[in-house]
Structures are given as structure tokens and as C-alpha cells.
Short mmCIF file of all heavy atoms in Angstrom, two decimals:
data_model
loop_
_atom_site.label_atom_id
_atom_site.label_comp_id
_atom_site.label_asym_id
_atom_site.label_seq_id
_atom_site.Cartn_x
_atom_site.Cartn_y
_atom_site.Cartn_z
N ASP A 1411 173.07 216.11 229.79
CA ASP A 1411 173.01 217.55 229.58
C ASP A 1411 172.75 217.83 228.10
O ASP A 1411 173.57 217.51 227.26
CB ASP A 1411 174.33 218.19 230.02
CG ASP A 1411 174.36 219.70 229.88
OD1 ASP A 1411 173.29 220.32 229.74
OD2 ASP A 1411 175.45 220.25 229.92
N ALA A 1412 171.61 218.38 227.79
CA ALA A 1412 171.21 218.61 226.41
C ALA A 1412 172.12 219.63 225.71
O ALA A 1412 172.25 219.63 224.51
CB ALA A 1412 169.77 219.07 226.35
N ALA A 1413 172.77 220.49 226.49
CA ALA A 1413 173.63 221.52 225.92
C ALA A 1413 175.01 220.97 225.56
O ALA A 1413 175.74 221.59 224.81
CB ALA A 1413 173.78 222.68 226.87
N ALA A 1414 175.34 219.80 226.08
CA ALA A 1414 176.65 219.21 225.82
C ALA A 1414 176.73 218.75 224.36
O ALA A 1414 175.75 218.27 223.81
CB ALA A 1414 176.90 218.03 226.74
N PRO A 1415 177.91 218.90 223.75
CA PRO A 1415 178.07 218.40 222.38
C PRO A 1415 177.81 216.90 222.33
O PRO A 1415 178.13 216.18 223.27
CB PRO A 1415 179.54 218.70 222.08
CG PRO A 1415 179.97 219.71 223.07
CD PRO A 1415 179.11 219.49 224.29
N ARG A 1416 177.21 216.45 221.26
CA ARG A 1416 176.90 215.04 221.13
C ARG A 1416 178.15 214.24 220.82
O ARG A 1416 178.91 214.58 219.92
CB ARG A 1416 175.89 214.83 220.00
CG ARG A 1416 174.57 215.51 220.24
CD ARG A 1416 173.77 214.94 221.41
NE ARG A 1416 173.53 213.52 221.18
CZ ARG A 1416 173.33 212.65 222.18
NH1 ARG A 1416 173.35 213.03 223.42
NH2 ARG A 1416 173.11 211.38 221.89
N LEU A 1417 178.34 213.18 221.55
CA LEU A 1417 179.43 212.23 221.28
C LEU A 1417 178.82 210.99 220.66
O LEU A 1417 177.69 210.62 221.00
CB LEU A 1417 180.16 211.86 222.58
CG LEU A 1417 180.85 212.99 223.34
CD1 LEU A 1417 181.48 212.43 224.62
CD2 LEU A 1417 181.91 213.66 222.50
N THR A 1418 179.57 210.35 219.79
CA THR A 1418 179.09 209.09 219.24
C THR A 1418 179.15 208.03 220.33
O THR A 1418 179.80 208.21 221.37
CB THR A 1418 179.98 208.63 218.06
OG1 THR A 1418 181.29 208.34 218.57
CG2 THR A 1418 180.06 209.68 216.96
N SER A 1419 178.46 206.93 220.12
CA SER A 1419 178.48 205.87 221.13
C SER A 1419 179.91 205.35 221.32
O SER A 1419 180.31 205.05 222.45
CB SER A 1419 177.52 204.73 220.77
OG SER A 1419 177.84 204.21 219.52
N ARG A 1420 180.69 205.30 220.27
CA ARG A 1420 182.09 204.83 220.39
C ARG A 1420 182.91 205.84 221.19
O ARG A 1420 183.71 205.45 222.03
CB ARG A 1420 182.69 204.62 219.00
CG ARG A 1420 184.11 204.15 219.03
CD ARG A 1420 184.25 202.80 219.75
NE ARG A 1420 184.23 201.74 218.78
CZ ARG A 1420 184.17 200.44 219.11
NH1 ARG A 1420 184.15 200.07 220.36
NH2 ARG A 1420 184.14 199.52 218.19
N GLU A 1421 182.70 207.13 220.93
CA GLU A 1421 183.42 208.15 221.69
C GLU A 1421 183.07 208.07 223.17
O GLU A 1421 183.93 208.21 224.04
CB GLU A 1421 183.13 209.54 221.15
CG GLU A 1421 183.78 209.82 219.81
CD GLU A 1421 183.30 211.08 219.13
OE1 GLU A 1421 182.23 211.61 219.51
OE2 GLU A 1421 183.99 211.55 218.22
N ARG A 1422 181.79 207.81 223.46
CA ARG A 1422 181.37 207.69 224.86
C ARG A 1422 182.05 206.48 225.51
O ARG A 1422 182.46 206.55 226.66
CB ARG A 1422 179.85 207.57 224.95
CG ARG A 1422 179.13 208.88 224.60
CD ARG A 1422 177.64 208.75 224.55
NE ARG A 1422 177.03 208.59 225.86
CZ ARG A 1422 176.73 209.59 226.67
NH1 ARG A 1422 177.00 210.84 226.31
NH2 ARG A 1422 176.18 209.37 227.83
N GLU A 1423 182.15 205.38 224.75
CA GLU A 1423 182.84 204.19 225.27
C GLU A 1423 184.30 204.49 225.58
O GLU A 1423 184.80 204.14 226.65
CB GLU A 1423 182.83 203.08 224.19
CG GLU A 1423 181.78 202.03 224.33
CD GLU A 1423 181.96 200.96 223.25
OE1 GLU A 1423 182.01 201.30 222.06
OE2 GLU A 1423 182.06 199.78 223.62
N VAL A 1424 184.97 205.14 224.64
CA VAL A 1424 186.39 205.49 224.81
C VAL A 1424 186.53 206.44 226.01
O VAL A 1424 187.41 206.25 226.85
CB VAL A 1424 186.97 206.12 223.52
CG1 VAL A 1424 188.34 206.72 223.77
CG2 VAL A 1424 187.04 205.07 222.42
N LEU A 1425 185.66 207.43 226.11
CA LEU A 1425 185.71 208.37 227.21
C LEU A 1425 185.53 207.66 228.55
O LEU A 1425 186.26 207.92 229.51
CB LEU A 1425 184.63 209.44 227.03
CG LEU A 1425 184.48 210.46 228.17
CD1 LEU A 1425 185.78 211.18 228.46
CD2 LEU A 1425 183.38 211.46 227.82
N GLN A 1426 184.57 206.74 228.62
CA GLN A 1426 184.33 206.00 229.86
C GLN A 1426 185.58 205.23 230.28
O GLN A 1426 185.98 205.26 231.43
CB GLN A 1426 183.15 205.04 229.68
CG GLN A 1426 182.87 204.22 230.90
CD GLN A 1426 181.73 203.23 230.70
OE1 GLN A 1426 181.09 203.21 229.65
NE2 GLN A 1426 181.51 202.40 231.68
N LEU A 1427 186.20 204.53 229.32
CA LEU A 1427 187.38 203.72 229.64
C LEU A 1427 188.57 204.60 230.01
O LEU A 1427 189.35 204.26 230.91
CB LEU A 1427 187.70 202.78 228.48
CG LEU A 1427 186.60 201.72 228.22
CD1 LEU A 1427 186.90 200.95 226.95
CD2 LEU A 1427 186.44 200.78 229.40
N LEU A 1428 188.73 205.74 229.33
CA LEU A 1428 189.79 206.68 229.69
C LEU A 1428 189.59 207.16 231.12
O LEU A 1428 190.53 207.21 231.91
CB LEU A 1428 189.75 207.91 228.77
CG LEU A 1428 190.43 207.83 227.43
CD1 LEU A 1428 190.07 209.05 226.59
CD2 LEU A 1428 191.94 207.73 227.60
N ALA A 1429 188.34 207.50 231.45
CA ALA A 1429 188.03 208.01 232.77
C ALA A 1429 188.28 206.96 233.86
O ALA A 1429 188.57 207.29 235.00
CB ALA A 1429 186.58 208.48 232.83
N GLU A 1430 188.18 205.70 233.48
CA GLU A 1430 188.42 204.61 234.42
C GLU A 1430 189.90 204.27 234.53
O GLU A 1430 190.27 203.37 235.27
CB GLU A 1430 187.58 203.39 234.04
CG GLU A 1430 186.11 203.64 234.28
CD GLU A 1430 185.19 202.53 233.82
OE1 GLU A 1430 185.70 201.47 233.38
OE2 GLU A 1430 183.97 202.71 233.90
N GLY A 1431 190.72 205.01 233.80
CA GLY A 1431 192.16 204.89 233.97
C GLY A 1431 192.87 203.94 233.00
O GLY A 1431 194.06 203.68 233.16
N LEU A 1432 192.15 203.45 232.00
CA LEU A 1432 192.79 202.55 231.05
C LEU A 1432 193.67 203.36 230.08
O LEU A 1432 193.36 204.51 229.76
CB LEU A 1432 191.76 201.78 230.23
CG LEU A 1432 191.23 200.49 230.87
CD1 LEU A 1432 190.44 200.77 232.13
CD2 LEU A 1432 190.41 199.70 229.88
N SER A 1433 194.75 202.74 229.67
CA SER A 1433 195.65 203.37 228.69
C SER A 1433 195.05 203.22 227.29
O SER A 1433 194.15 202.40 227.07
CB SER A 1433 197.02 202.69 228.72
OG SER A 1433 196.90 201.36 228.21
N SER A 1434 195.58 203.99 226.36
CA SER A 1434 195.14 203.86 224.95
C SER A 1434 195.30 202.43 224.47
O SER A 1434 194.42 201.90 223.79
CB SER A 1434 195.90 204.83 224.05
OG SER A 1434 195.58 206.15 224.37
N LYS A 1435 196.40 201.80 224.83
CA LYS A 1435 196.65 200.42 224.40
C LYS A 1435 195.61 199.48 224.99
O LYS A 1435 195.08 198.60 224.30
CB LYS A 1435 198.06 199.99 224.83
CG LYS A 1435 198.42 198.60 224.34
CD LYS A 1435 199.83 198.22 224.73
CE LYS A 1435 200.12 196.82 224.19
NZ LYS A 1435 201.21 196.18 224.89
N GLU A 1436 195.29 199.64 226.28
CA GLU A 1436 194.29 198.79 226.92
C GLU A 1436 192.90 198.99 226.31
O GLU A 1436 192.17 198.02 226.08
CB GLU A 1436 194.23 199.07 228.42
CG GLU A 1436 195.46 198.61 229.17
CD GLU A 1436 195.56 199.16 230.59
OE1 GLU A 1436 195.11 200.30 230.84
OE2 GLU A 1436 196.08 198.43 231.45
N ILE A 1437 192.58 200.25 226.02
CA ILE A 1437 191.28 200.54 225.38
C ILE A 1437 191.24 199.93 223.99
O ILE A 1437 190.23 199.32 223.61
CB ILE A 1437 191.04 202.06 225.33
CG1 ILE A 1437 190.91 202.63 226.75
CG2 ILE A 1437 189.81 202.38 224.49
CD1 ILE A 1437 190.95 204.14 226.82
N ALA A 1438 192.32 200.07 223.25
CA ALA A 1438 192.38 199.51 221.89
C ALA A 1438 192.15 198.00 221.93
O ALA A 1438 191.38 197.46 221.13
CB ALA A 1438 193.73 199.83 221.26
N GLU A 1439 192.81 197.32 222.86
CA GLU A 1439 192.63 195.87 222.98
C GLU A 1439 191.21 195.52 223.35
O GLU A 1439 190.61 194.61 222.78
CB GLU A 1439 193.62 195.30 224.01
CG GLU A 1439 195.04 195.32 223.52
CD GLU A 1439 196.07 195.00 224.60
OE1 GLU A 1439 195.69 194.76 225.75
OE2 GLU A 1439 197.27 194.99 224.24
N ARG A 1440 190.64 196.24 224.31
CA ARG A 1440 189.28 195.92 224.78
C ARG A 1440 188.24 196.15 223.70
O ARG A 1440 187.27 195.40 223.59
CB ARG A 1440 188.94 196.77 226.01
CG ARG A 1440 187.60 196.36 226.59
CD ARG A 1440 187.29 197.00 227.89
NE ARG A 1440 188.22 196.58 228.94
CZ ARG A 1440 188.04 196.89 230.22
NH1 ARG A 1440 187.00 197.60 230.60
NH2 ARG A 1440 188.90 196.50 231.13
N LEU A 1441 188.42 197.19 222.87
CA LEU A 1441 187.42 197.54 221.86
C LEU A 1441 187.79 197.05 220.46
O LEU A 1441 187.09 197.38 219.51
CB LEU A 1441 187.21 199.06 221.84
CG LEU A 1441 186.73 199.70 223.15
CD1 LEU A 1441 186.57 201.20 222.99
CD2 LEU A 1441 185.44 199.06 223.64
N SER A 1442 188.87 196.29 220.36
CA SER A 1442 189.34 195.78 219.06
C SER A 1442 189.59 196.91 218.07
O SER A 1442 189.14 196.87 216.93
CB SER A 1442 188.35 194.76 218.49
OG SER A 1442 188.19 193.68 219.36
N LEU A 1443 190.31 197.93 218.54
CA LEU A 1443 190.70 199.07 217.72
C LEU A 1443 192.21 199.18 217.71
O LEU A 1443 192.88 198.56 218.53
CB LEU A 1443 190.12 200.37 218.30
CG LEU A 1443 188.62 200.48 218.46
CD1 LEU A 1443 188.25 201.71 219.27
CD2 LEU A 1443 187.96 200.51 217.10
N SER A 1444 192.74 200.01 216.83
CA SER A 1444 194.16 200.31 216.87
C SER A 1444 194.38 201.40 217.91
O SER A 1444 193.46 202.18 218.21
CB SER A 1444 194.68 200.76 215.52
OG SER A 1444 194.21 202.08 215.23
N VAL A 1445 195.60 201.48 218.45
CA VAL A 1445 195.93 202.52 219.41
C VAL A 1445 195.73 203.89 218.76
O VAL A 1445 195.21 204.81 219.40
CB VAL A 1445 197.39 202.35 219.93
CG1 VAL A 1445 197.82 203.55 220.76
CG2 VAL A 1445 197.51 201.06 220.73
N ARG A 1446 196.09 203.98 217.51
CA ARG A 1446 195.94 205.26 216.80
C ARG A 1446 194.48 205.70 216.73
O ARG A 1446 194.16 206.88 216.87
CB ARG A 1446 196.53 205.12 215.39
CG ARG A 1446 196.54 206.40 214.63
CD ARG A 1446 197.30 206.26 213.35
NE ARG A 1446 197.30 207.53 212.66
CZ ARG A 1446 198.06 207.80 211.63
NH1 ARG A 1446 198.89 206.89 211.17
NH2 ARG A 1446 198.01 208.96 211.05
N THR A 1447 193.58 204.75 216.50
CA THR A 1447 192.15 205.06 216.46
C THR A 1447 191.67 205.56 217.81
O THR A 1447 190.91 206.54 217.89
CB THR A 1447 191.34 203.82 216.01
OG1 THR A 1447 191.76 203.46 214.69
CG2 THR A 1447 189.85 204.11 216.01
N VAL A 1448 192.12 204.92 218.88
CA VAL A 1448 191.74 205.35 220.23
C VAL A 1448 192.24 206.78 220.47
O VAL A 1448 191.51 207.63 220.98
CB VAL A 1448 192.29 204.40 221.30
CG1 VAL A 1448 192.09 204.97 222.70
CG2 VAL A 1448 191.64 203.03 221.18
N GLU A 1449 193.48 207.05 220.07
CA GLU A 1449 194.04 208.39 220.26
C GLU A 1449 193.28 209.43 219.43
O GLU A 1449 193.07 210.55 219.87
CB GLU A 1449 195.52 208.38 219.94
CG GLU A 1449 196.30 207.61 221.02
CD GLU A 1449 197.76 207.34 220.67
OE1 GLU A 1449 198.17 207.60 219.51
OE2 GLU A 1449 198.47 206.87 221.58
N ASN A 1450 192.85 209.04 218.23
CA ASN A 1450 192.04 209.94 217.39
C ASN A 1450 190.71 210.24 218.07
O ASN A 1450 190.24 211.39 218.06
CB ASN A 1450 191.81 209.35 215.99
CG ASN A 1450 193.05 209.43 215.12
OD1 ASN A 1450 193.95 210.21 215.38
ND2 ASN A 1450 193.10 208.59 214.10
N HIS A 1451 190.08 209.20 218.64
CA HIS A 1451 188.82 209.40 219.35
C HIS A 1451 189.04 210.36 220.52
O HIS A 1451 188.24 211.28 220.74
CB HIS A 1451 188.27 208.08 219.89
CG HIS A 1451 187.55 207.24 218.88
ND1 HIS A 1451 186.54 207.74 218.08
CD2 HIS A 1451 187.68 205.94 218.54
CE1 HIS A 1451 186.09 206.76 217.29
NE2 HIS A 1451 186.77 205.67 217.56
N ARG A 1452 190.11 210.15 221.27
CA ARG A 1452 190.37 211.01 222.43
C ARG A 1452 190.55 212.46 221.98
O ARG A 1452 189.99 213.37 222.58
CB ARG A 1452 191.60 210.53 223.20
CG ARG A 1452 191.82 211.40 224.46
CD ARG A 1452 193.01 210.95 225.26
NE ARG A 1452 194.21 211.07 224.49
CZ ARG A 1452 195.21 210.17 224.47
NH1 ARG A 1452 195.15 209.09 225.20
NH2 ARG A 1452 196.27 210.37 223.73
N ARG A 1453 191.32 212.67 220.92
CA ARG A 1453 191.53 214.02 220.40
C ARG A 1453 190.21 214.66 219.98
O ARG A 1453 189.93 215.81 220.30
CB ARG A 1453 192.52 213.99 219.23
CG ARG A 1453 192.99 215.39 218.83
CD ARG A 1453 193.89 215.37 217.61
NE ARG A 1453 193.10 215.06 216.41
CZ ARG A 1453 193.14 213.91 215.74
NH1 ARG A 1453 193.96 212.96 216.11
NH2 ARG A 1453 192.38 213.71 214.69
N GLN A 1454 189.40 213.89 219.28
CA GLN A 1454 188.10 214.40 218.81
C GLN A 1454 187.18 214.74 219.98
O GLN A 1454 186.51 215.77 219.99
CB GLN A 1454 187.43 213.32 217.93
CG GLN A 1454 186.10 213.76 217.34
CD GLN A 1454 186.23 214.82 216.28
OE1 GLN A 1454 187.24 214.91 215.59
NE2 GLN A 1454 185.24 215.65 216.15
N ILE A 1455 187.16 213.89 221.00
CA ILE A 1455 186.34 214.15 222.19
C ILE A 1455 186.79 215.44 222.86
O ILE A 1455 185.97 216.28 223.22
CB ILE A 1455 186.45 212.97 223.20
CG1 ILE A 1455 185.81 211.70 222.61
CG2 ILE A 1455 185.80 213.31 224.53
CD1 ILE A 1455 186.22 210.42 223.34
N MET A 1456 188.10 215.59 223.02
CA MET A 1456 188.64 216.77 223.69
C MET A 1456 188.31 218.03 222.88
O MET A 1456 187.93 219.06 223.46
CB MET A 1456 190.14 216.63 223.91
CG MET A 1456 190.45 215.56 224.96
SD MET A 1456 192.20 215.18 225.13
CE MET A 1456 192.64 216.34 226.40
N GLU A 1457 188.40 217.96 221.57
CA GLU A 1457 188.06 219.10 220.72
C GLU A 1457 186.59 219.46 220.86
O GLU A 1457 186.23 220.62 221.05
CB GLU A 1457 188.37 218.81 219.25
CG GLU A 1457 189.84 218.94 218.90
CD GLU A 1457 190.10 218.64 217.43
OE1 GLU A 1457 189.16 218.68 216.62
OE2 GLU A 1457 191.26 218.32 217.11
N ARG A 1458 185.72 218.45 220.77
CA ARG A 1458 184.28 218.69 220.84
C ARG A 1458 183.87 219.28 222.19
O ARG A 1458 182.98 220.12 222.25
CB ARG A 1458 183.52 217.38 220.67
CG ARG A 1458 183.21 217.12 219.26
CD ARG A 1458 182.06 216.16 219.09
NE ARG A 1458 182.23 215.59 217.78
CZ ARG A 1458 181.81 214.43 217.41
NH1 ARG A 1458 181.11 213.69 218.24
NH2 ARG A 1458 182.03 213.99 216.21
N LEU A 1459 184.48 218.80 223.25
CA LEU A 1459 184.10 219.23 224.60
C LEU A 1459 184.89 220.45 225.08
O LEU A 1459 184.59 221.01 226.12
CB LEU A 1459 184.27 218.08 225.59
CG LEU A 1459 183.45 216.82 225.30
CD1 LEU A 1459 183.75 215.75 226.33
CD2 LEU A 1459 181.97 217.13 225.25
N GLY A 1460 185.91 220.83 224.31
CA GLY A 1460 186.73 221.98 224.71
C GLY A 1460 187.56 221.69 225.94
O GLY A 1460 187.81 222.59 226.75
N LEU A 1461 188.01 220.46 226.09
CA LEU A 1461 188.80 220.06 227.27
C LEU A 1461 190.24 219.85 226.85
O LEU A 1461 190.54 219.51 225.70
CB LEU A 1461 188.21 218.78 227.88
CG LEU A 1461 186.76 218.88 228.30
CD1 LEU A 1461 186.24 217.53 228.76
CD2 LEU A 1461 186.56 219.91 229.39
N ARG A 1462 191.16 220.03 227.82
CA ARG A 1462 192.59 220.00 227.47
C ARG A 1462 193.40 218.95 228.19
O ARG A 1462 194.60 218.88 228.00
CB ARG A 1462 193.20 221.38 227.75
CG ARG A 1462 192.55 222.41 226.88
CD ARG A 1462 193.13 223.75 227.08
NE ARG A 1462 192.37 224.68 226.24
CZ ARG A 1462 192.88 225.77 225.72
NH1 ARG A 1462 194.10 226.10 225.96
NH2 ARG A 1462 192.13 226.53 224.98
N SER A 1463 192.76 218.15 229.05
CA SER A 1463 193.53 217.13 229.75
C SER A 1463 192.66 215.91 230.02
O SER A 1463 191.42 215.99 229.99
CB SER A 1463 194.03 217.67 231.11
OG SER A 1463 192.93 217.87 231.98
N VAL A 1464 193.32 214.78 230.28
CA VAL A 1464 192.57 213.57 230.62
C VAL A 1464 191.86 213.77 231.96
O VAL A 1464 190.75 213.26 232.15
CB VAL A 1464 193.53 212.35 230.65
CG1 VAL A 1464 192.80 211.12 231.19
CG2 VAL A 1464 194.03 212.08 229.24
N ALA A 1465 192.43 214.56 232.86
CA ALA A 1465 191.76 214.85 234.13
C ALA A 1465 190.43 215.56 233.87
O ALA A 1465 189.41 215.22 234.50
CB ALA A 1465 192.65 215.70 235.03
N ALA A 1466 190.43 216.52 232.95
CA ALA A 1466 189.20 217.22 232.61
C ALA A 1466 188.19 216.26 231.96
O ALA A 1466 187.00 216.35 232.22
CB ALA A 1466 189.49 218.40 231.70
N LEU A 1467 188.68 215.35 231.13
CA LEU A 1467 187.81 214.35 230.52
C LEU A 1467 187.18 213.48 231.59
O LEU A 1467 185.99 213.18 231.54
CB LEU A 1467 188.59 213.46 229.55
CG LEU A 1467 188.97 214.03 228.19
CD1 LEU A 1467 189.83 213.05 227.44
CD2 LEU A 1467 187.73 214.39 227.39
N THR A 1468 187.98 213.09 232.57
CA THR A 1468 187.48 212.24 233.65
C THR A 1468 186.40 212.97 234.44
O THR A 1468 185.34 212.41 234.74
CB THR A 1468 188.64 211.84 234.58
OG1 THR A 1468 189.61 211.13 233.79
CG2 THR A 1468 188.16 210.93 235.71
N LYS A 1469 186.65 214.22 234.75
CA LYS A 1469 185.67 215.03 235.49
C LYS A 1469 184.36 215.11 234.69
O LYS A 1469 183.27 214.96 235.25
CB LYS A 1469 186.25 216.42 235.74
CG LYS A 1469 185.38 217.32 236.57
CD LYS A 1469 186.09 218.64 236.82
CE LYS A 1469 185.18 219.63 237.53
NZ LYS A 1469 185.83 220.92 237.72
N TYR A 1470 184.47 215.34 233.40
CA TYR A 1470 183.29 215.41 232.55
C TYR A 1470 182.54 214.07 232.55
O TYR A 1470 181.31 214.04 232.67
CB TYR A 1470 183.70 215.77 231.11
CG TYR A 1470 182.55 215.78 230.14
CD1 TYR A 1470 181.76 216.91 229.98
CD2 TYR A 1470 182.26 214.66 229.39
CE1 TYR A 1470 180.69 216.91 229.09
CE2 TYR A 1470 181.18 214.64 228.51
CZ TYR A 1470 180.41 215.78 228.37
OH TYR A 1470 179.34 215.76 227.51
N ALA A 1471 183.28 212.98 232.43
CA ALA A 1471 182.65 211.64 232.39
C ALA A 1471 181.89 211.35 233.68
O ALA A 1471 180.79 210.79 233.65
CB ALA A 1471 183.71 210.57 232.13
N VAL A 1472 182.47 211.73 234.82
CA VAL A 1472 181.80 211.53 236.11
C VAL A 1472 180.53 212.39 236.17
O VAL A 1472 179.45 211.92 236.52
CB VAL A 1472 182.75 211.83 237.27
CG1 VAL A 1472 181.98 211.84 238.60
CG2 VAL A 1472 183.88 210.81 237.32
N LYS A 1473 180.68 213.66 235.77
CA LYS A 1473 179.56 214.59 235.81
C LYS A 1473 178.40 214.11 234.93
O LYS A 1473 177.23 214.24 235.28
CB LYS A 1473 180.02 215.97 235.35
CG LYS A 1473 178.99 217.07 235.55
CD LYS A 1473 179.52 218.41 235.05
CE LYS A 1473 179.26 218.44 233.58
NZ LYS A 1473 179.32 219.69 232.89
N GLU A 1474 178.74 213.52 233.78
CA GLU A 1474 177.72 213.04 232.84
C GLU A 1474 177.21 211.64 233.18
O GLU A 1474 176.38 211.11 232.47
CB GLU A 1474 178.29 213.06 231.41
CG GLU A 1474 178.54 214.44 230.88
CD GLU A 1474 177.27 215.26 230.74
OE1 GLU A 1474 176.30 214.76 230.15
OE2 GLU A 1474 177.24 216.40 231.25
N GLY A 1475 177.76 211.04 234.23
CA GLY A 1475 177.28 209.73 234.64
C GLY A 1475 177.81 208.59 233.80
O GLY A 1475 177.27 207.48 233.83
N LEU A 1476 178.90 208.83 233.04
CA LEU A 1476 179.49 207.75 232.22
C LEU A 1476 180.30 206.80 233.06
O LEU A 1476 180.52 205.67 232.69
CB LEU A 1476 180.37 208.34 231.12
CG LEU A 1476 179.67 209.19 230.07
CD1 LEU A 1476 180.67 209.78 229.11
CD2 LEU A 1476 178.63 208.37 229.34
N THR A 1477 180.77 207.29 234.19
CA THR A 1477 181.55 206.46 235.11
C THR A 1477 181.39 207.06 236.49
O THR A 1477 180.85 208.14 236.65
CB THR A 1477 183.04 206.40 234.70
OG1 THR A 1477 183.69 205.40 235.48
CG2 THR A 1477 183.74 207.73 234.87
N SER A 1478 181.83 206.33 237.49
CA SER A 1478 181.80 206.86 238.84
C SER A 1478 183.20 206.77 239.41
O SER A 1478 184.09 206.19 238.78
CB SER A 1478 180.84 206.05 239.71
OG SER A 1478 181.32 204.74 239.87
N LEU A 1479 183.41 207.35 240.54
CA LEU A 1479 184.74 207.35 241.14
C LEU A 1479 185.03 206.07 241.91
O LEU A 1479 186.11 205.89 242.43
CB LEU A 1479 184.92 208.57 242.05
CG LEU A 1479 184.88 209.90 241.30
CD1 LEU A 1479 184.99 211.05 242.28
CD2 LEU A 1479 186.00 209.99 240.27
N ASP A 1480 184.06 205.16 241.99
CA ASP A 1480 184.26 203.91 242.75
C ASP A 1480 184.28 202.69 241.84
O ASP A 1480 183.57 201.75 242.06
CB ASP A 1480 183.20 203.78 243.83
CG ASP A 1480 181.79 203.88 243.27
OD1 ASP A 1480 181.63 204.42 242.17
OD2 ASP A 1480 180.87 203.39 243.95
N PHE A 1481 185.11 202.73 240.79
CA PHE A 1481 185.20 201.57 239.90
C PHE A 1481 186.21 200.59 240.38
O PHE A 1481 186.96 200.76 241.24
CB PHE A 1481 185.52 201.99 238.46
CG PHE A 1481 186.50 203.10 238.30
CD1 PHE A 1481 187.85 202.84 238.34
CD2 PHE A 1481 186.08 204.40 238.15
CE1 PHE A 1481 188.78 203.87 238.18
CE2 PHE A 1481 186.99 205.45 237.99
CZ PHE A 1481 188.33 205.17 238.03
#
């Protein structure tokens, strides 16, 4: 969606893993980041997209094709 705010490739990665149900700690381990960095990415993504919950992030990720519901 061209109208959607641009996310960095790292933010897209974090969003995809969040949508797949991984915890901040699991994402941090998988991407070799600190938990705090993952949480900062999540906060930034939510601010940019105007979303207020992980459920809304998941819905957005599915809609944008970053993940599917059959992982």
C-alpha cells in the first residue's frame, strides 16, 4: 500500500515476527538485538502506523502480506 507509512526493513522484520507470535525476547535472540531494541522498534512501528495493540499490528502485517495466518 503506497499510502502506508514506510517502515525500515528491520521494522518490517520485527513486525513480521511479532505477528507470528514471538515474544520480544524471542525476536531479540533471533535478530541478535537487545530486548529493549525490539521494544523500541515495536513502539516506533505502532506510532508510525497509528496502531495501539499487538492484535492491530498482526492484522496490519497480514493485510500487507508480511505474514499469513497459517504459519
Side-chain angles (χ1 to χ4, degrees):
D1411 182 16
R1416 297 294 302 154
L1417 298 178
T1418 65
S1419 57
R1420 180 61 95 188
E1421 287 169 343
R1422 290 174 72 84
E1423 261 183 306
V1424 169
L1425 176 56
Q1426 178 183 355
L1427 295 172
L1428 277 170
E1430 291 175 4
L1432 274 66
S1433 68
S1434 293
K1435 184 178 181 200
E1436 291 167 327
I1437 295 168
E1439 289 170 359
R1440 186 171 295 189
L1441 300 180
S1442 300
L1443 300 171
S1444 72
V1445 171
R1446 185 172 181 168
T1447 298
V1448 171
E1449 290 170 351
N1450 286 340
H1451 280 308
R1452 183 179 63 221
R1453 190 184 72 252
Q1454 182 70 29
I1455 293 163
M1456 291 173 91
E1457 280 180 20
R1458 270 202 203 154
L1459 300 178
L1461 303 174
R1462 297 181 184 210
S1463 68
V1464 173
L1467 284 176
T1468 301
K1469 184 177 174 183
Y1470 176 86
V1472 170
K1473 189 181 84 164
E1474 292 296 310
L1476 296 177
T1477 190
S1478 66
L1479 295 177
D1480 55 339
F1481 39 83

